[in-house]
Amino acid sequence: MSSPPDDDFDVKNGIIDAETPPHTELAALYKQSFAYYTFRVRLPSTLATIAASLVKDKDELLATYGADAGADIERNAAAVTQLREDILNNGPLLAFEGKDPDTQMWNAFLEKLPKEKRSYFTACWLYSECYMYRKISAIFQATPRLSAFDYFREQKQTAAKLSVDAMLAVAKATRQNERDSGTFRQLIKLNLWGNRCDLSITSGKQVKPTGNAFDQVTDLEPKLLIDGTAAIWQAIDGASGDGIVDIIFDNAGYEVYTDLILAEYIIDKGLAAKVRFNAKAIPWFISDVMAHDYHWTLQFLADHPDPVLSELGKKWQRFTAEGKFELSPLEQFWTSPYEFYRMREEKPALYARLQEAELIIFKGDLNYRKLLGDFSWPSTESFATCLRGFRPTNLCTLRTVKADLICGLGQGVAEQLFAKDKEWMLTGEYGVIQFASK
């Protein structure tokens, strides 16, 4: 993790050449943080890719959206390039214009930020990064022809196509299984490690899952730093079986496939009557699942020439038609800057809906960041403390570690890991499964 040296930028913007201090918001203000690297390297790279793909795919876009889309393509490529410049110059987080459903929520949030924390490098990392993805959406929403265009769709679909071998192996290994804690543990861990294929971490470069997924679950056991699977099983196995499990999606491609494998097991084994999936309302962090990605994935499987995958796709489409699988109504809160402990106040209806569930499964690194807040908690702080009162029902988080925050570790564990590899928190090599009861 090395950022381009730019002493002028650092001096001009008051960048502090240090790690994030304890009990402080994570921010790109600290040069030795992953947030600084994110805003100096990763996000500018993501934006350059979007601008370049608009130029590269121009003919295809004109064929789909009409000849009049040419002006939109040029305007959006220029606006995305300008956004990249704004970030590289630590520009301000300005209010949004337009009439999108979440404009008011975002602007109220920005208005409450202290004035000295309203730029990309001075604001809390979570807020700035979410703002950037909302800003890209605003650029496209403002154009007549491309407002419905998902500029990450092709990358997400490519990720799924690259995963077919792994998908097939998992399907064959899960067609006949038992309702017991051992099988559930395997599927939860399969689902956890599916989170390693994350395009936002690689700025969109594809990661192909390889090898036998269940062998990997065993091989990766030493990398699982916290394993709350037994408590999750107890919560769901002890429930009536006619309840709801909510899954808060993270990535499309192979990961959402493993979400669906876990959801299928929950329904087939009578652990719940319904699994609700919570998708993103706008293109988000490159690979996050939107409603159309869910439907595309099921159709991609149903149309697959291999009968095992085809049957699986059709079965999941049937589950969706029957209401056993349900896409929750689009919810702007998931693409807001808010941490989850603020949900009860900011979106009480969503909090109340989550209270209906027997269990909520939060997937991936960004959901973990929103559960904890981008805050430098001591690594040994308890998960329950870090949730800051966010306890709508039993909840768990399945997260491969891709950002420099964590909680719930034993004494000395973080220090041992840092001694082995100073970037252990950034690679997705380690995982946590954490649980909090209602």
Side-chain angles (χ1 to χ4, degrees):
M1 184 185 85
S2 60
S3 307
D6 188 344
D7 295 339
D8 287 351
F9 173 86
D10 292 352
V11 170
K12 183 179 163 193
N13 292 286
I15 301 298
I16 299 160
D17 192 1
E19 293 175 354
T20 312
H23 298 287
T24 308
E25 282 183 340
L26 305 185
L29 188 63
Y30 302 102
K31 187 166 187 170
Q32 293 171 34
S33 70
F34 192 46
Y36 180 87
Y37 176 74
T38 295
F39 281 95
R40 293 298 284 154
V41 178
R42 289 174 57 231
L43 298 182
S45 169
T46 296
L47 292 165
T49 301
I50 296 172
S53 70
L54 284 170
V55 175
K56 176 176 73 71
D57 300 336
K58 185 173 183 179
D59 292 347
E60 199 181 315
L61 289 167
L62 291 173
T64 306
Y65 295 97
D68 294 352
D72 286 1
I73 292 166
E74 285 178 24
R75 177 194 171 281
N76 289 4
V80 169
T81 303
Q82 182 57 54
L83 176 57
R84 182 177 181 274
E85 286 304 306
D86 292 346
I87 287 175
L88 287 171
N89 291 304
N90 189 24
L93 307 184
L94 301 170
F96 288 99
E97 295 169 6
K99 296 189 175 135
D100 296 322
D102 60 345
T103 300
Q104 208 174 338
M105 172 176 66
W106 263 100
N107 288 345
F109 174 85
L110 292 167
E111 185 63 35
K112 286 179 188 162
L113 283 183
K115 288 201 165 39
E116 69 277 8
K117 291 189 175 183
R118 280 194 215 168
S119 71
Y120 287 102
F121 283 74
T122 57
C124 171
W125 174 19
L126 177 68
Y127 306 160
S128 292
E129 193 166 11
C130 289
Y131 178 90
M132 185 202 83
Y133 283 100
R134 176 62 178 80
K135 190 79 178 166
I136 306 168
S137 174
I139 289 168
F140 282 82
Q141 289 293 335
T143 53
R145 297 286 175 185
L146 295 181
S147 59
F149 173 55
D150 177 0
Y151 31 89
F152 297 136
R153 180 184 300 211
E154 192 180 330
Q155 287 161 285
K156 290 184 279 191
Q157 293 181 359
T158 300
K161 290 167 187 171
L162 281 173
S163 307
V164 164
D165 292 348
M167 289 177 179
L168 188 55
V170 166
K172 287 176 176 172
T174 52
R175 290 313 82 201
Q176 292 178 308
N177 51 25
E178 299 302 319
R179 175 179 164 149
D180 58 41
S181 60
T183 306
F184 182 74
R185 173 177 277 115
Q186 287 285 91
L187 292 177
I188 282 275
K189 291 179 181 178
L190 175 82
N191 197 211
L192 163 72
W193 296 117
N195 178 241
R196 290 196 299 174
C197 304
D198 184 341
L199 295 173
S200 73
I201 284 296
T202 60
S203 299
K205 294 178 183 68
Q206 295 290 345
V207 183
K208 180 176 179 174
T210 54
N212 180 308
F214 288 103
D215 287 348
Q216 286 177 353
V217 165
T218 307
D219 295 345
L220 289 166
E221 201 63 28
K223 306 285 189 184
L224 182 57
L225 303 176
I226 301 168
D227 183 2
T229 317
I232 302 169
W233 171 252
Q234 226 172 345
I236 196 171
D237 185 46
S240 63
D242 56 6
I244 297 167
V245 170
D246 266 295
I247 295 180
I248 317 301
F249 277 149
D250 189 25
N251 299 315
Y254 178 65
E255 182 178 352
V256 75
Y257 176 80
T258 64
D259 294 339
L260 292 161
I261 289 280
L262 177 63
E264 175 192 50
Y265 181 83
I266 288 168
I267 296 296
D268 280 349
K269 303 307 175 194
L271 294 164
K274 183 192 289 284
V275 178
R276 286 193 302 214
F277 301 111
N278 296 265
K280 301 299 192 299
I282 60 174
W284 197 246
F285 282 66
I286 303 184
S287 44
D288 280 33
V289 179
M290 296 178 67
H292 70 78
D293 298 311
Y294 173 84
H295 292 299
W296 180 89
T297 302
L298 299 196
Q299 197 60 50
F300 170 70
L301 294 168
D303 293 342
H304 200 274
D306 187 285
V308 176
L309 289 181
S310 178
E311 279 308 307
L312 199 52
K314 288 170 186 160
K315 179 183 178 183
W316 292 347
Q317 286 178 326
R318 197 167 64 248
F319 274 13
T320 306
E322 292 167 354
K324 292 172 182 173
F325 283 3
E326 181 180 290
L327 266 180
S328 292
L330 277 191
E331 175 49 71
Q332 308 290 339
F333 188 84
W334 302 126
T335 48
S336 80
Y338 286 113
E339 304 91 341
F340 294 155
Y341 78 88
R342 298 166 75 173
M343 183 190 293
R344 181 181 260 177
E345 185 186 337
E346 297 296 334
K347 263 298 167 82
L350 175 59
Y351 192 88
R353 185 165 65 71
L354 293 178
Q355 285 180 306
E356 298 166 4
E358 296 287 352
L359 174 70
I360 312 169
I361 302 171
F362 287 94
K363 294 299 310 297
D365 198 69
L366 179 62
N367 280 323
Y368 192 86
R369 288 168 60 189
K370 288 192 167 190
L371 284 166
L372 269 63
D374 264 4
F375 191 77
S376 54
W377 295 101
S379 64
T380 53
E381 190 62 80
S382 76
F383 183 48
T385 299
C386 296
L387 289 172
R388 290 184 259 193
F390 178 70
R391 304 288 278 273
T393 185
N394 298 312
L395 65 88
C396 67
T397 174
L398 313 184
R399 177 234 188 177
T400 59
V401 184
K402 300 170 191 158
D404 42 5
L405 77 158
I406 200 162
C407 70
L409 295 183
Q411 288 290 346
V413 173
E415 290 76 6
Q416 286 169 8
L417 291 165
F418 276 120
K420 242 191 284 185
D421 176 5
K422 67 180 195 323
E423 294 191 354
W424 71 271
M425 297 184 93
L426 312 179
T427 58
E429 196 181 331
Y430 292 91
V432 293
I433 297 171
Q434 289 170 277
F435 174 80
S437 58
K438 60 180 164 189

